[in-house]
Amino acid sequence: MKAHDGLYIDGAWRPAASADAIDVVNPADEQVIGRVPAGGAADVDAAVRAARAALPGWAATPPAERAARLTALRDALVARKDEIAETVTAELGSPLPFSQAVHAAVPIAVAGSYAELAAAHSFEEKVGNSTVLAEPVGVVGAITPWNYPLHQIVAKVAPALAAGCTVVLKPAEDTPLTAQLFAEAVHEAGVPAGVFNLVTGLGPVAGQALAEHPDVDLVSFTGSTAVGRQIGAVAGAAVKRVALELGGKSANVILPSADLARAVNVGVANVMSNSGQTCSAWTRMLVHRDRYDEAVELARTAAVKYGDRIGPVVSAKQRARVRGYIEKGVAEGARLVTGGPESPHEKGYFVSPTVFADVTPEMAIAQEEIFGPVLAILPYDDEEDALRIANGTVYGLAGAVWAADEAEAVAFARRMDTGQVDINGGRFNPLAPFGGYKQSGVGRELGAHGLAEYLQTKSLQF
Ligand code: NAD
């Protein structure tokens, strides 16, 4: 798609007050593919004012009509699914089939789910002598990352619109073209002017201005824990609502009775897909000592097979970060089984699928989010040891458990301090609440739980 040279505010593309711009780079060949405005505080203010002005009208729009706009939005995204996939591939670097199957298809499903939820949700309930009303929180400031560019946007904007909130979106600087495409789809769907606004720009400039804006009622942020902590502090000081979807270091726990080959193969695929840039990725594989060597060999074979099937990471900065962690793993004494810090290609920000064995729980590569195609395999002695290791990080976003007996896996999953657990390879469910325990975040996205984030309650007594 062709980049817009303006910001989408109050129902139209308008020139930015700021003259700054962001070059969008294709990470597969390092070519500049577009240029978008880097909005400043004045642009954020104009967008927030538009969202505030549109709020009373949208909040009073019957849920069935809001649902109709969301259905139209879903349809607009469906009509552009090839363009979405091509745009994500161009600015994120993921292989086209993955962009089609995941980056385009998942947000379409999520948009559809909120069209249904908006229509079906009961915004009123009786509690004794009270009627409890679920009302929109107000103006939402949404700040999203680049790793699943459209999904992260839709997972915030669709429930916010379903709830009757209005939105200002500040998408990641690496993937603004997907965000512009989304704004076009919103426009085509007939969403009234000011209900959705887009300000592209830099995190510490436009993002910060949005998080600090006094007329924003709720800040919904997905990204790094470092920035999330800052945003939480600003929101706390202003007593405004905040939702944080942060990092993860999720454990893939393979219990001794499990089908080892299947658990390892699915586990490696989970880490390597999207070049490891998935906050919920199972980046720590926990295997019983008795089956450890077998698992390491299976993981090596699976990762090597992945070699030419993954795309680059998003940017030179991200590649430097991932390489730094690989070097650190080697320096800390972990055993490099395959991959390594060297680039497999001359052009593009590629990192080879990398597997570390003999990783101990306190190593940086077992504790910190790398956000690249890097798997750490840790041995455990018994189930209690596995649980201690699984729960032994500051994060708690996702995880997996494998066992011959489903009940055995569920019993273990109940003891994990984490927001989602896939049992024996359970599929992604776009209606299941997604979000973190501990420092992985505050709040939940997707499904009815995701809608509730954008509602506040009022009780009327009779
Ligand atoms: P980031 O936290 O810097 O950026 C996420 C979003 O926040 C972007 O839109 C960015 O512009 C914005 N932002 C940055 N600084 C801000 C500020 N001071 N105030 C307001 N907004 C600000 O994350 P990143 O640089 O894109 O990635 C760095 C690391 O974050 C990754 O390596 C990974 O560990 C983690 N990450 C996690 C997720 C997730 O889904 N949990 C997604 C992407 C990245």
Side-chain angles (χ1 to χ4, degrees):
M1 72 170 278
K2 205 180 151 307
H4 285 275
D5 57 6
L7 307 171
Y8 184 73
I9 296 177
D10 204 15
W13 293 93
R14 301 173 196 279
S18 156
D20 297 339
I22 297 171
D23 282 337
V24 187
V25 175
N26 181 332
D29 61 13
E30 304 179 30
Q31 298 300 306
V32 174
I33 54 170
R35 170 172 269 231
V36 302
D43 296 306
V44 168
D45 187 56
V48 173
R49 276 190 278 116
R52 176 60 59 189
L55 181 65
W58 186 245
T61 300
E65 169 57 18
R66 299 201 298 255
R69 292 303 110 228
L70 284 166
T71 301
L73 172 61
R74 195 266 324 269
D75 293 346
L77 294 174
V78 169
R80 286 164 166 256
K81 64 181 179 10
D82 293 335
E83 199 186 347
I84 292 168
E86 283 155 19
T87 304
V88 174
T89 288
E91 61 183 0
L92 179 68
S94 52
L96 193 59
F98 188 78
S99 296
Q100 287 161 335
V102 176
H103 290 298
V106 172
I108 286 171
V110 172
S113 77
Y114 279 111
E116 285 173 24
L117 275 164
H121 191 78
S122 167
F123 290 87
E124 230 179 274
E125 62 168 337
K126 286 264 183 230
V127 180
N129 64 316
S130 303
T131 296
V132 180
L133 308 178
E135 299 188 332
V137 169
V139 174
V140 173
I143 302 175
T144 55
W146 42 261
N147 62 338
Y148 288 85
L150 187 59
H151 170 69
Q152 306 280 18
I153 290 171
V154 172
K156 297 187 190 309
V157 177
L161 299 193
C165 293
T166 58
V167 181
V168 176
L169 168 68
K170 204 305 282 176
E173 35 279 72
D174 293 299
T175 53
L177 301 180
T178 305
Q180 290 191 337
L181 212 162
F182 176 76
E184 288 180 2
V186 170
H187 191 82
E188 286 162 16
V191 173
V195 170
F196 169 80
N197 308 274
L198 170 69
V199 178
T200 49
L202 301 176
V205 182
Q208 197 163 328
L210 184 58
E212 288 176 350
H213 200 292
D215 219 17
V216 168
D217 299 299
L218 184 160
V219 182
S220 180
F221 169 82
T222 299
S224 63
T225 298
V227 175
R229 191 173 278 126
Q230 247 173 283
I231 287 178
V234 168
V239 198
K240 69 172 67 161
R241 300 258 299 254
V242 65
L244 305 170
E245 294 290 341
L246 308 177
K249 193 73 192 176
S250 296
N252 179 14
V253 182
I254 305 176
L255 293 174
S257 64
D259 176 344
L260 188 69
R262 177 144 185 269
V264 171
N265 282 324
V266 174
V268 169
N270 175 286
V271 174
M272 300 307 166
S273 72
N274 212 35
S275 302
Q277 303 166 118
T278 305
C279 43
S280 56
W282 311 331
T283 47
R284 296 179 298 147
M285 183 181 285
L286 276 53
V287 185
H288 193 278
R289 251 179 227 292
D290 290 350
R291 308 191 75 185
Y292 189 74
D293 291 342
E294 199 189 334
V296 169
E297 181 50 28
L298 283 165
R300 190 190 65 78
T301 312
V304 168
K305 259 196 273 168
Y306 247 91
D308 44 12
R309 274 195 281 151
I310 64 170
V313 295
V314 72
S315 62
K317 181 178 139 210
Q318 192 64 17
R319 182 178 58 183
R321 173 190 163 98
V322 177
R323 280 178 170 171
Y325 271 110
I326 296 174
E327 281 159 4
K328 201 164 189 176
V330 172
E332 282 180 316
R335 172 161 56 98
L336 191 59
V337 175
T338 184
E342 302 80 26
S343 268
H345 302 295
E346 242 166 57
K347 266 256 177 271
Y349 311 127
F350 289 88
V351 178
S352 296
T354 296
V355 176
F356 278 109
D358 303 341
V359 178
T360 56
E362 70 288 350
M363 287 181 185
I365 57 165
Q367 288 291 329
E368 296 173 27
E369 185 174 56
I370 299 172
F371 236 57
V374 183
L375 171 67
I377 313 183
L378 295 88
Y380 66 83
D381 295 322
D382 55 30
E383 238 180 72
E384 290 310 308
D385 192 31
L387 188 70
R388 240 186 334 267
I389 297 170
N391 287 340
T393 76
V394 297
Y395 294 115
L397 190 55
V401 185
W402 302 79
D405 176 19
E406 201 172 276
E408 184 193 355
V410 170
F412 190 95
R414 284 182 184 278
R415 299 168 75 199
M416 291 170 79
D417 301 332
T418 194
Q420 279 210 350
V421 185
D422 294 344
I423 306 293
N424 285 336
R427 283 176 300 118
F428 174 72
N429 174 1
L431 290 175
F434 181 92
Y437 279 32
K438 301 192 282 184
Q439 289 182 30
S440 285
V442 176
R444 292 292 178 272
E445 294 198 312
L446 304 182
H449 288 76
L451 179 60
E453 293 284 325
Y454 297 93
L455 294 168
Q456 56 189 348
T457 48
K458 177 185 284 172
S459 301
L460 309 178
Q461 280 63 244
F462 296 89

